[in-house]
Amino acid sequence: ESKASKKKKKKSKKNPTETEELSRPTSLTRERRLPSGVTVRDLLVGTGAPVKSGKKLSLHYTGSLVSTGKVFDKNHSKQHPLVFRQGTGEVIRGLERGLEGMKVGGERVISIPSKLGYGKKGAGVD
C-alpha cells in the first residue's frame, strides 16, 4: 500500500477592507442645517447632475420619526419609485428642500421638521 500525500490548501486571508463593503454607509459630509430648519447629511455623494427645480425625480425613501425611529412610510420598490417634479408641491415641502442640490446617484439623510412635513395632524392613522 502506498500512502497518498495530502496537500493542505492554505486558506487565503483576505484583507477585510479590500473585500468586504461596510454594512452601513458612513456619512461623507457633516450634517448641515438649512435656513428652513431641514437638516441634510450625505451618505453617498452622487456623480450626476444636481437636483434643480422643475426637474423630474425618481427616488426610494424611508420615512421614520426622529424621536422613536418608527418607520411610518417607505418605498423601496425598484419597479415603483416615487416620481415627482421638484419644486411643484407634489411632495411635502421639507423633502423638496432637503433634495435641492443633491446629485443624481447619491444617498442622503434628510430630517424634516413637522411644519414642513405633515404638521401636527400627521399623515393619518395606521
Side-chain angles (χ1 to χ4, degrees), residues 72-86:
F72 60 83
D73 193 13
K74 66 181 175 178
N75 178 349
H76 287 280
S77 168
K78 290 187 181 201
Q79 294 83 17
H80 304 288
L82 175 64
V83 178
F84 65 96
R85 194 163 300 279
Q86 176 72 359

Side-chain angles (χ1 to χ4, degrees), residues 6 8 17 19-20 31 38 40 49-50 64 68 70 72 78 80 84-85 100-101 103 111 115 118 120-121:
K6 291 184 178 179
K8 289 187 177 180
T17 56
T19 59
E20 297 174 5
E31 188 172 90
V38 172
V40 297
S64 61
T68 63
K70 180 182 176 188
F72 60 83
K78 290 187 181 201
H80 304 288
F84 65 96
R85 194 163 300 279
E100 289 173 0
K103 292 186 176 182
S111 296
K115 66 181 181 179
Y118 296 110
K120 290 181 182 179
K121 293 180 184 178

Side-chain angles (χ1 to χ4, degrees), residues 15-36:
N15 186 345
T17 56
E18 292 176 6
T19 59
E20 297 174 5
E21 290 185 36
L22 294 174
S23 60
R24 221 176 128 186
T26 55
S27 178
L28 294 176
T29 63
R30 291 184 183 175
E31 188 172 90
R32 296 179 290 130
R33 181 175 293 275
L34 306 177
S36 62

Side-chain angles (χ1 to χ4, degrees), residues 1-3 6-7 12 14 17 23 36 40 47 60 66-67 82 86 88 99 101 108 126:
E1 280 180 29
S2 64
K3 288 187 177 181
K6 291 184 178 179
K7 291 184 180 180
S12 63
K14 296 179 181 177
T17 56
S23 60
S36 62
V40 297
T47 57
H60 303 281
V66 172
S67 59
L82 175 64
Q86 176 72 359
T88 60
L99 290 171
R108 179 176 278 187
D126 288 322

